[in-house]
């Protein structure tokens, strides 16, 4: 949850299980890359739906993030 919150503007940690939200996937400067739907499946599991048309751009941005710290 902390990792995905480092990438989006939504309060993913505040979602109850079984609830989702539309949020924005941003770059390090806060620019919008894509919109995502984040669903909280359980305390430690999320189901994230992104735009298939932006797949390459989304994957490139995620690759720039340090997976251990969530920093860009």
């Amino acid at each position: 949850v902390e990792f995905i919150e480092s990438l989006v503007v939504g309060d993913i940690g505040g979602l109850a299980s079984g609830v989702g939200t539309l949020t924005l996937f941003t770059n390090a400067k806060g620019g919008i890359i894509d919109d995502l739907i984040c669903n909280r499946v359980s305390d430690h599991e999320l189901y994230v739906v992104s735009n298939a048309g932006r797949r390459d751009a989304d994957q490139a941005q995620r690759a720039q993030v340090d997976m251990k710290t969530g920093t860009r």
Side-chain angles (χ1 to χ4, degrees), residues 7 25-28 33 56-65 72:
L7 303 174
F25 182 37
T26 59
N27 62 25
I33 296 170
D56 293 338
D58 290 354
Q59 287 180 339
Q61 184 63 29
R62 281 192 303 267
Q64 293 179 13
V65 177
R72 296 171 191 251

Side-chain angles (χ1 to χ4, degrees), residues 17-62:
S17 291
V19 176
T21 189
L22 178 65
T23 189
L24 300 172
F25 182 37
T26 59
N27 62 25
K29 294 182 179 182
I32 299 169
I33 296 170
D34 199 359
D35 59 335
L36 305 172
I37 299 173
C38 292
N39 298 286
R40 186 151 205 171
V41 178
S42 68
D43 287 345
H44 304 289
E45 184 179 6
L46 299 172
Y47 181 76
V48 180
V49 180
S50 63
N51 181 346
R54 298 275 308 156
R55 178 180 165 202
D56 293 338
D58 290 354
Q59 287 180 339
Q61 184 63 29
R62 281 192 303 267

